[in-house]
Amino acid sequence: MKRVQQIVRVKPEAWETYRGLHADPWPGVNRMIKECHIQNYSISYYDGFLFTYFEYTGGDYEADMAKMAADPQTQRWWDVCKPCLLRMDTETVSDCWSDMQEIYYLP
């Protein structure tokens, strides 16, 4: 299993929109997340930042992420969500979220 933790900033004026979208996510988007072997997925908010955590249980992370990125409904979802976000760095080209380095884990 691979644990993934990421961070992004949310635009202050878009916070309510982003929160509303995630209060009622599209069923097809949730289905695709599960089809791509992601579980225990959460997004948390603190002071203008969003933090996400999920566990990847599949065998080919890159292939599953490509599958998700190719899904038309997921693309439409991202088109609605991404304008609410501010990237943390300029090196991340394909996504707004930046990976965080895990420094401690207690199973």
Side-chain angles (χ1 to χ4, degrees):
M1 178 185 64
K2 173 185 175 88
R3 290 184 310 279
V4 178
Q5 301 163 76
Q6 299 173 318
I7 187 172
V8 71
R9 290 179 293 173
V10 63
K11 294 177 183 176
E13 67 275 13
W15 164 236
E16 291 300 327
T17 299
Y18 191 85
R19 185 170 71 167
L21 287 165
H22 288 80
D24 188 23
W26 302 348
V29 172
N30 283 344
R31 188 170 35 259
M32 180 55 58
I33 289 170
K34 290 181 179 186
E35 282 182 25
C36 291
H37 308 284
I38 292 175
Q39 63 185 26
N40 293 324
Y41 181 47
S42 63
I43 300 174
S44 302
Y45 172 84
Y46 178 77
D47 197 26
F49 292 90
L50 297 170
F51 304 89
T52 190
Y53 170 84
F54 61 86
E55 297 166 352
Y56 175 73
T57 60
D60 188 340
Y61 182 75
E62 297 302 324
D64 280 326
M65 296 305 100
K67 175 183 175 178
M68 185 181 305
D71 176 60
Q73 188 166 23
T74 300
Q75 290 174 4
R76 288 191 301 277
W77 176 256
W78 289 346
D79 287 344
V80 173
C81 292
K82 282 185 179 185
C84 298
L85 305 176
L86 295 166
R87 281 208 285 230
M88 297 293 294
D89 60 52
T90 57
E91 295 177 17
T92 307
V93 176
S94 64
D95 197 1
C96 294
W97 291 86
S98 296
D99 289 338
M100 294 170 49
Q101 180 183 6
E102 183 176 88
I103 61 166
Y104 178 76
Y105 173 68
L106 177 65

